[in-house]
Amino acid sequence: MKKSATVIISVYNHFEWLRLILDALRQQTFTDFEVIVADDGSSKDNIDALRDYIESHPEIHIIHSWHADEGWRKNKALNSAVRRSSGEYLIFIDGDCIPHPRFVEDHVRLARHGIVTGGRRVETSKEVSGWLESLERLPKNYFSQARRLMLSGMFRNKFSQTCAQLRRTWRFPWLCGKPIGIKTQGILGANFGLYRDDFEKVNGFDERYVHAGTGEDCDLDVRLENAGIHHVKASHYALMLHRCHDRLDWNWPENAELLRKAKENRITYVETGLINSQDSSKIN
């Protein structure tokens, strides 16, 4: 059955966190959407766990789009997921981010043709991430509970950083659907949405990016902007909790060169993208 929106989750193993994301998506206030798990080659244990979850929760439409592990092929997995999707509006999130109960509602409310809506994420502490991962089932008030834990840990963690993240946890629904501080802002791969036809105008993600790090989402951002599809930031809307983990600072010259050419040559459409790519993925 065709849905008005598709939520695409990029994952590689770590089902314990994906389970929390799916629990959160089952609690969404807006329900006319499908979920596609864009799996970049997770192990059999993770595949089996996800299959069991899908069978146990028929109330939410989940598709598992998987391909064999050939190293970092996130962009290929994401393009494959889009080809399997039916939603007019596409929402992309990472597999370590738990969305707010009104996350999909906010993205759909703010959707505009020719615009990419970029949300941001709340960086949680080790304590909050550990608490979330310890849950057998995500409670209905998970977002407010996470906020209270962040408040209680303000003096154990870096005070100023915790205050900055706490500010991001507040959603302001009384603004008639208009986001606070909407402005030009680069997209964050963990949280952005756009119409399918805008995504198709640039042929999706460039699959020549085969290393993690700067490039895979920045490249899409640059090409969309070159095509006249502008990005805005939605402050205090489309919220999500991001798992605490060590930062990976990978600087691949191949990524940097591709991104440089996209900027300097004003590239919009790439042949190595959504169409004309080899798709070896399959639905589990």
Side-chain angles (χ1 to χ4, degrees):
M1 181 182 297
K2 186 174 183 179
K3 301 289 186 178
S4 63
T6 299
V7 176
I8 297 175
I9 313 169
S10 61
V11 301
Y12 177 69
N13 294 322
H14 294 293
F15 176 77
E16 70 280 0
W17 200 261
L18 175 60
R19 173 181 57 82
L20 297 172
I21 298 171
L22 297 175
D23 281 353
L25 291 175
R26 288 169 49 224
Q27 297 185 31
Q28 294 296 301
T29 53
F30 180 89
T31 59
D32 186 25
F33 69 95
E34 65 183 358
V35 178
I36 301 187
V37 177
D39 192 337
D40 190 18
S42 292
S43 68
K44 185 178 185 301
D45 288 347
N46 284 269
I47 292 171
D48 291 343
L50 177 55
R51 182 179 291 119
D52 289 343
Y53 188 99
I54 293 172
E55 292 176 354
S56 300
H57 299 287
E59 71 275 15
I60 182 171
H61 184 209
I62 304 172
I63 297 172
H64 183 202
S65 177
W66 177 90
H67 61 212
D69 188 353
E70 299 176 348
W72 193 91
R73 298 294 185 272
K74 178 182 177 181
N75 283 6
K76 182 177 180 180
L78 289 169
N79 282 337
S80 295
V82 172
R83 286 193 289 271
R84 284 160 164 69
S85 67
S86 66
E88 181 184 11
Y89 194 75
L90 306 174
I91 303 168
F92 295 89
I93 67 176
D94 278 349
D96 58 0
C97 296
I98 301 175
H100 186 280
R102 293 185 178 273
F103 177 82
V104 180
E105 174 189 334
D106 286 345
H107 265 290
V108 171
R109 179 186 297 180
L110 299 173
R112 301 289 187 276
H113 286 282
I115 292 292
V116 182
T117 300
R120 285 300 182 263
R121 60 197 183 188
V122 178
E123 301 292 347
T124 62
S125 64
K126 290 182 179 179
E127 293 89 341
V128 175
S129 289
W131 168 73
L132 287 165
E133 291 179 3
S134 72
L135 297 171
E136 293 184 6
R137 181 180 302 174
L138 199 66
K140 289 188 178 299
N141 61 342
Y142 62 91
F143 220 90
S144 59
Q145 285 196 45
R147 183 187 295 121
R148 285 196 293 270
L149 281 173
M150 291 176 70
L151 277 167
S152 68
M154 285 182 69
F155 297 100
R156 294 194 302 272
N157 301 298
K158 294 183 179 179
F159 184 83
S160 60
Q161 291 182 9
T162 304
C163 286
Q165 295 306 317
L166 274 169
R167 179 179 59 81
R168 293 185 177 186
T169 67
W170 295 103
R171 179 181 177 273
F172 298 134
W174 53 82
L175 297 173
C176 302
K178 296 181 180 180
I180 293 179
I182 194 164
K183 64 180 181 180
T184 299
Q185 179 77 35
I187 64 174
L188 182 71
N191 184 354
F192 73 96
L194 76 170
Y195 275 99
R196 171 187 293 274
D197 56 359
D198 287 333
F199 185 78
E200 291 174 345
K201 285 177 183 176
V202 298
N203 204 25
F205 291 95
D206 189 343
E207 296 182 11
R208 290 177 297 174
Y209 286 86
V210 293
H211 301 293
T214 301
E216 77 275 3
D217 51 358
C218 298
D219 173 85
L220 179 66
D221 179 33
V222 166
R223 289 185 290 110
L224 286 167
E225 187 69 26
N226 291 343
I229 302 163
H230 304 298
H231 37 247
V232 295
K233 183 181 75 171
S235 296
H236 301 284
Y237 273 79
L239 309 177
M240 54 171 40
L241 301 170
H242 182 226
R243 179 172 65 90
C244 180
H245 60 78
D246 293 335
R247 295 294 182 189
L248 299 175
D249 186 18
W250 293 328
N251 184 19
W252 293 95
E254 298 91 340
N255 286 25
E257 180 63 11
L258 287 171
L259 188 59
R260 182 190 67 79
K261 290 180 178 179
K263 291 178 178 178
E264 292 183 359
N265 299 329
R266 304 288 300 173
I267 292 172
T268 57
Y269 190 96
V270 291
E271 296 294 338
T272 49
L274 184 67
I275 302 173
N276 299 323
S277 65
Q278 296 296 318
D279 180 22
S280 61
S281 60
K282 54 189 176 184
I283 299 173
N284 290 276

